[in-house]
Amino acid sequence: CAGLGKLLKDGPADDEAWDTVACHAACLNELSFALMEDGRCPDGVWAKAAGGALRDGTVALLAAVEAKDADAANAAFKTVTSSCAACHKAHKK
């Protein structure tokens, strides 16, 4: 997430940077599914964050990458980080 934030801060500089953003977003999207597998989801906070906002944010981020739209990418990244913060606040000890 930190690497993704750094890439998006000033906007990806070239196609290689956009590809790296896409890779990070795809990994976080996969993580959204892993976090919901095998009974890992303990409550609605987790489900809303991992199964909802994280997944939705990464899908929007991937769409922004496809369009090479830095503003949309940053907006989607805020959804991603908000989902992480909500879940971590409730569950990270």
Side-chain angles (χ1 to χ4, degrees), residues 39-87:
R40 294 175 198 171
C41 178
D43 60 24
V45 171
W46 184 295
K48 185 176 177 184
L54 178 58
R55 195 169 299 159
D56 294 344
T58 55
V59 167
L61 183 51
L62 287 165
V65 168
E66 185 71 25
K68 293 186 179 172
D69 183 339
D71 291 335
N74 276 295
F77 185 61
K78 286 182 184 176
T79 300
V80 170
T81 58
S82 293
S83 72
C84 296
C87 198

Side-chain angles (χ1 to χ4, degrees), residues 1-12 17-29 54 57-58 61-62 65 73-74 76-78 80-81 84:
C1 213
L4 189 52
K6 185 176 178 181
L7 283 165
L8 292 173
K9 183 178 179 183
D10 297 321
W18 279 110
D19 287 346
T20 303
V21 170
C23 182
H24 286 298
C27 288
L28 287 171
N29 183 269
L54 178 58
T58 55
L61 183 51
L62 287 165
V65 168
N74 276 295
F77 185 61
K78 286 182 184 176
V80 170
T81 58
C84 296

